Amino acid sequence: CDAGDTGMRYRLLETVREYAAEKLHETGETDATRERHARFFVSLAERAAPAIFGGGGDEAWMVRLDEEAPNFRDVHDWCEQQTSRLELSLRLAVALHWHWYARGRFNEGRLRLGIALTFAEQAAPALRGRALTVRGRPAMWQGDYAGMHGPMNEAVSLLRPLGDSASLAYALHGLGIATGFLGDVSAARRLIDEAAAMIADPPEGLQVWIV
């Protein structure tokens, strides 16, 4: 589906919701159903992510993500109940971070990423590196450059050997910003120049950040 495929939306009476949940539990299918729900909404957010890079972009997608915010929070809550689910939480946070930026939900982003990164230590380096980069962004938006520097520095270390130039450039640029605001302007310039040199034709939105 695309951003416009919202279809009809229904609300259940709380008594009906509780009855349905009870019946689902009786069948032993609660966890499987919750996992399908989580994977659907992670996939939805990941499809939206390229269209909202930079915090603007496709307004239809932004509206769709607004509509689904309760479902995204429900997925995070469910993932946080068990460490084996937290890779899904990381994927969702990475996909949603520009939506959080556009809607000013900086604390929500830092909280969700902090929980997932603390307990999802076995996540693949590529995912963990991207998640660390994304964790640094809300800190930057709040002017917390010391809080931004640590995650960005770790992200660069994880991403540098992987050959993913787009993700590494994004992390290098963030590390450069944090380094500059913490006082080392020459090191910051080197990091940002390295990021810019890695991508000859940056994706739309990345051009805004690598300057």
Side-chain angles (χ1 to χ4, degrees):
C1 69
D2 60 25
D5 293 333
T6 55
M8 298 293 292
R9 303 181 71 84
Y10 301 93
R11 294 184 182 276
L12 291 176
L13 292 172
E14 189 58 32
T15 52
V16 175
R17 186 190 303 274
E18 290 174 359
Y19 177 78
E22 180 181 332
K23 290 300 180 181
L24 188 64
H25 178 72
E26 288 176 3
T27 67
E29 296 181 2
T30 300
D31 285 346
T33 302
R34 291 302 303 268
E35 182 168 354
R36 287 196 297 271
H37 173 272
R39 291 190 180 280
F40 174 85
F41 283 102
V42 170
S43 177
L44 177 71
E46 289 178 335
R47 290 200 303 276
I52 63 167
F53 194 98
D58 190 313
E59 184 59 26
W61 269 119
M62 294 297 287
V63 171
R64 180 74 189 276
L65 297 181
D66 286 339
E67 291 174 343
E68 303 298 357
N71 280 307
F72 295 136
R73 293 189 179 109
D74 189 62
V75 171
H76 279 301
D77 289 342
W78 180 75
C79 289
E80 288 166 7
Q81 294 171 14
Q82 190 169 308
T83 56
S84 63
R85 303 169 184 161
L86 285 171
E87 284 200 29
L88 276 176
S89 192
L90 287 180
R91 286 173 54 192
L92 183 58
V94 169
L96 288 178
H97 79 286
W98 279 115
H99 184 254
W100 284 332
Y101 166 77
R103 299 304 187 239
R105 297 173 185 158
F106 310 143
N107 289 333
E108 181 175 358
R110 295 183 79 171
L111 174 64
R112 295 299 192 183
L113 281 156
I115 292 170
L117 282 164
T118 297
F119 296 103
E121 295 180 350
Q122 302 305 313
L127 175 58
R128 188 170 177 83
R130 289 194 295 271
L132 284 160
T133 303
V134 168
R135 188 183 185 190
R137 289 286 167 176
M140 178 184 74
W141 299 328
Q142 293 180 316
D144 180 8
Y145 298 106
M148 180 188 186
H149 188 276
M152 290 294 187
N153 193 47
E154 186 178 349
V156 168
S157 297
L158 285 169
L159 294 170
R160 194 178 284 283
L162 301 182
D164 180 351
S165 60
S167 295
L168 177 57
Y170 196 32
L172 282 165
H173 180 258
L175 181 59
I177 291 173
T179 300
F181 274 98
L182 292 174
D184 193 340
V185 176
S186 60
R189 185 73 263 175
R190 288 194 299 273
L191 289 163
I192 292 173
D193 286 347
E194 182 184 357
M198 294 185 69
I199 301 181
D201 184 19
E204 184 179 354
L206 195 58
Q207 298 169 5
V208 174
W209 292 101
I210 301 180
V211 295

